Amino acid sequence: MLQVLMMTMLLSAAPSGILKTSELKPGMKGYGLTVFAGTKPVKFDVEVISVMPKAMLNQDLILVRCKHPILKHAGVIAGMSGSPIYINGKFAGGLGYGYGFSKDPIAMLTPAEDIVKTIKRPLRGVNPWGMAKNQSVASYFGKTRAASAAMFAARTKTRSIVPLQMALSVSGMTPGVFSALFPAFAKLGPVMPAGTVANAVVKDYEPGGAVGIWLVRGDINLQAIGTVTHIIGNRIAVFSHPFLTMGETLLPAGHAFIHTVIARQSSSMKLGALLKPSGALIKDEQATVVIDKSMNPGAIPMTVEVASKGEKFKYNFEIAQNRFLTPNYINGIVRIALARSQQNLTDLTYTINYEFKMKGLKPITFTDYFSSSRGLSLGYAFWGGLANAYALRGEIAMNLLMNNPWKRMAVESVKVKAMVVTGLNSYRIKSVKTSAPLVRIGKAFRVDVTLKPEVGEEVQKSFSVTLPESFRGNRIWIQVTGGREMSIDEANPENIDQLVNYISKSIDSHNLVLTIKTPSPAIGIDGKMVRHVPLSVLDTLVRTSESEKPAVMQTQMSKTLRIPEIVMGRTIIETTVKQSENEAR
């Protein structure tokens, strides 16, 4: 009988149902749950201050004061996002918003009604990989980066009401390097280095428990830590505010362990680490983030091998698959691995071999080269030298593959092998000139190129060119370009195979590319201007109804010179093709 009585008392004390915002009054008291250390949630007191109608778009916020010895010292803590609040034995909402630089533990709740509605609403089936089919391949990279930047814009603006910060748990790199390589993600909360935890065990999600959305695991770990808010079946609401405002998507989730609370003047935070993956983030919306613990989003295995001065390093990772985030993480991981293997501020030259395995395709391989007079100095605005002001080719290629307009492309694996050697091999194109002031049909002439190094003597390179009859009487432009900056002279791909071919044909920085161009009409196709098309299809693509066609440069001839130097830059000279010796004189 005593056991039955105790069980009845426990059940009657457990929260049951939700408390509507309309039922809340100033002065009402309750409690919240969160983890301050370990994995077990503890209680903290809560008092309602006021209800703020429509503080968010079509959503109220509930202003509360929190009380606990830790909170009195540290204030509302990054990582408490999602802490469930119970009043009168009912679920009232989740800790979701606060005020920047607040001195008191005052925060705002996302109402329970909005959280429960978001949990229960069926998935709309939106394809997070979808993209309009009228975009050119040349525009993918810029537009996806712009979209990614816009996605984080709301989190970076200075506002009075802001989402409570998450605790960013990072291992395998310093907070400074993380902020430099992942600036958008770094703005979501304070960063603390934290390793993995091997011994702690969590059986299942529970309200107030620590939870993480992870993006990289392995020799580097990157996750955002918050708190479990509410559970209905396999669906778990967390954070009580958006994560990256991505709507329906798939990102890996998992249980987290909290080492302790770090009290700071700017933003106190939980110091935590990932325990084990469990489920997937399926909704990232205004009211809350929803995890489905029955789903497995998968992850991309990635290895990076670096050889340097007789040493070899191998690193292993798992990366979340997301068309906006994954390319940036691949780029950052490669840079960190290279920096770990060779950290000297000296003259270094790098060779990076990539292999991307996309489901249903043969492995896609290509090589990137660059040279730096400052090594891998991640603290500089431009990463170590002239060539390093650009994204690695791996990031560009993955952006093109994951943001193609034809179908969702699953990435099965990423393999990177790099070599670092001492010495500087970086050159810029200084000047271009022809061996004769006027050029003739059928008579060979030289195009001389002067390359200027960062340190050392200039180098001369030459092309031998003979113009065919089709150039007779034309004004021509001779352009010499470093291979890495050379656009591919083909029409935009129309399918996956053509896209892979487009990526594979991209020319690396050990090439000088000479192109001879003549004026030709611009071609308007589906609302965009196409300038790089094969000559054989030029006539069929020109629209005769256009009354005015601005002049563009049409490539007529191209030659590539493979050289040992790593070269950058672009120079154009102009001349006229003459028909006879007398005219040339």
Side-chain angles (χ1 to χ4, degrees):
M1 288 293 294
L2 180 59
Q3 289 181 340
V4 173
L5 179 61
M6 291 179 64
M7 183 63 68
T8 303
M9 292 175 63
L10 287 172
L11 289 174
S12 62
S16 177
I18 65 172
L19 188 66
K20 295 181 179 180
T21 308
S22 59
E23 301 176 71
L24 291 169
K25 306 293 181 186
M28 295 179 72
K29 296 182 179 180
Y31 68 92
L33 295 174
T34 200
V35 177
F36 291 125
T39 60
K40 193 64 181 174
V42 297
K43 289 185 177 181
F44 60 91
D45 296 326
V46 171
E47 180 180 348
V48 176
I49 298 174
S50 181
V51 173
M52 305 167 66
K54 308 300 181 187
M56 304 296 290
L57 182 61
N58 199 32
Q59 176 187 307
D60 300 338
L61 290 179
I62 304 160
L63 192 64
V64 298
R65 183 184 298 275
C66 304
K67 296 180 181 180
H68 188 276
I70 291 178
L71 301 182
K72 184 178 181 180
H73 176 62
V76 178
I77 301 162
M80 288 183 70
S81 295
S83 299
I85 306 300
Y86 302 98
I87 297 174
N88 290 346
K90 294 183 178 182
F91 174 47
L95 216 61
Y97 294 84
Y99 292 93
F101 298 98
S102 175
K103 295 176 65 175
D104 296 317
I106 293 176
M108 285 155 280
L109 313 182
T110 298
E113 301 140 285
D114 296 284
I115 293 173
V116 171
K117 284 178 184 177
T118 305
I119 297 174
K120 289 184 174 181
R121 191 185 65 247
L123 291 172
R124 299 184 177 96
V126 175
N127 181 3
W129 301 75
M131 173 171 275
K133 292 192 175 183
N134 62 351
Q135 293 184 9
S136 67
V137 167
S139 71
Y140 295 164
F141 182 52
K143 289 190 176 181
T144 52
R145 290 181 74 90
S148 180
M151 186 170 60
F152 300 111
R155 304 299 300 269
T156 62
K157 294 180 179 178
T158 302
R159 297 173 294 171
S160 57
I161 298 177
V162 295
L164 291 178
Q165 291 187 312
M166 289 164 277
L168 301 182
S169 174
V170 176
S171 66
M173 64 185 121
T174 65
V177 169
F178 166 72
S179 299
L181 292 181
F182 309 100
F185 192 70
K187 295 181 184 296
L188 300 181
V191 183
M192 284 286 182
T196 57
V197 179
N199 299 325
V201 176
V202 175
K203 293 182 178 179
D204 204 353
Y205 289 107
E206 62 177 321
V211 62
I213 304 300
W214 65 270
L215 301 169
V216 180
R217 293 180 65 219
D219 289 317
I220 288 175
N221 291 279
L222 170 58
Q223 67 170 329
I225 293 177
T227 303
V228 174
T229 311
H230 196 65
I231 301 173
I232 300 178
N234 285 327
R235 291 190 174 183
I236 300 101
V238 302
F239 295 169
S240 298
H241 60 64
F243 176 47
L244 300 174
T245 321
M246 299 177 70
E248 291 183 12
T249 188
L250 284 175
L251 288 174
H255 302 283
F257 177 91
I258 305 302
H259 295 289
T260 189
V261 171
I262 306 296
R264 308 194 313 168
Q265 290 184 343
S266 57
S267 176
S268 298
M269 68 172 293
K270 296 181 180 182
L271 181 62
L274 181 71
L275 279 178
K276 64 175 183 176
S278 179
L281 184 159
I282 60 172
K283 295 181 182 180
D284 180 10
E285 301 185 9
Q286 176 177 293
T288 194
V289 170
V290 180
I291 294 171
D292 190 323
K293 67 179 182 180
S294 68
M295 295 187 67
N296 179 10
I300 304 167
M302 178 176 176
T303 60
V304 180
E305 298 181 38
V306 183
S308 172
K309 287 188 176 181
E311 294 182 304
K312 288 187 177 180
F313 301 86
K314 185 174 182 179
Y315 307 102
N316 297 282
F317 311 94
E318 288 182 292
I319 310 172
Q321 184 159 225
N322 179 278
R323 65 188 179 96
F324 290 113
L325 305 175
T326 301
N328 176 237
Y329 296 150
I330 290 174
N331 185 55
I333 286 171
V334 172
R335 293 180 179 221
I336 292 167
L338 289 172
R340 172 65 180 85
S341 305
Q342 179 59 272
Q343 296 179 327
N344 294 323
L345 284 173
T346 187
D347 298 339
L348 296 173
T349 298
Y350 305 85
T351 301
I352 308 174
N353 297 295
Y354 290 91
E355 179 185 290
F356 292 156
K357 185 68 177 72
M358 314 295 289
K359 188 173 182 179
L361 298 178
K362 293 181 180 179
I364 302 166
T365 60
F366 52 91
T367 304
D368 202 3
Y369 304 90
F370 57 92
S371 191
S372 166
S373 61
R374 295 181 302 198
L376 290 182
S377 179
L378 298 178
Y380 288 96
F382 292 108
W383 184 59
L386 294 175
N388 303 331
Y390 297 87
L392 297 182
R393 288 179 69 193
E395 180 179 8
I396 299 172
M398 186 56 75
N399 253 310
L400 292 172
L401 291 165
M402 298 190 77
N403 289 284
N404 78 80
W406 302 289
K407 66 178 181 179
R408 175 175 177 172
M409 295 285 291
V411 185
E412 293 186 336
S413 66
V414 176
K415 295 180 181 179
V416 180
K417 293 185 178 181
M419 179 174 291
V420 186
V421 297
T422 303
L424 191 61
N425 192 23
S426 179
Y427 291 76
R428 278 193 170 276
I429 297 173
K430 178 182 178 182
S431 63
V432 175
K433 65 179 181 179
T434 59
S435 58
L438 299 173
V439 298
R440 291 180 55 205
I441 298 296
K443 185 175 178 62
F445 64 94
R446 286 195 332 272
V447 176
D448 297 320
V449 183
T450 301
L451 303 180
K452 181 178 177 57
E454 287 191 57
V455 178
E457 297 181 357
E458 295 178 352
V459 174
Q460 303 295 321
K461 304 293 177 181
S462 296
F463 292 87
S464 178
V465 181
T466 302
L467 297 179
E469 190 68 26
S470 59
F471 281 85
R472 185 177 298 278
N474 260 331
R475 180 173 296 278
I476 64 171
W477 285 262
I478 300 174
Q479 174 182 286
V480 178
T481 307
R484 204 175 192 276
E485 301 172 56
M486 182 64 192
S487 58
I488 301 169
D489 195 28
E490 290 190 357
N492 284 312
E494 295 295 335
N495 54 51
I496 294 295
D497 291 337
Q498 291 180 14
L499 174 61
V500 172
N501 183 56
Y502 185 100
I503 293 171
S504 300
K505 278 190 174 181
S506 57
I507 305 168
D508 65 56
S509 52
H510 271 298
N511 290 276
L512 275 177
V513 184
L514 179 144
T515 52
I516 297 180
K517 299 173 179 287
T518 60
S520 67
I523 305 165
I525 303 176
D526 295 331
K528 57 180 178 286
M529 300 305 295
V530 178
R531 292 176 169 81
H532 299 290
V533 295
L535 288 175
S536 59
V537 297
L538 179 61
D539 292 337
T540 60
L541 291 177
V542 174
R543 294 184 175 175
T544 57
S545 61
E546 295 178 356
S547 58
E548 294 184 7
K549 301 181 180 68
V552 296
M553 303 303 296
Q554 178 64 45
T555 299
Q556 301 279 2
M557 178 184 289
S558 180
K559 299 187 74 171
T560 300
L561 181 65
R562 184 76 177 176
I563 60 176
E565 295 83 5
I566 295 173
V567 63
M568 297 179 60
R570 183 191 309 255
T571 301
I572 299 177
I573 60 174
E574 179 184 351
T575 188
T576 302
V577 181
K578 297 302 180 181
Q579 301 182 39
S580 66
E581 185 71 27
N582 289 334
E583 187 179 5
R585 289 175 180 172

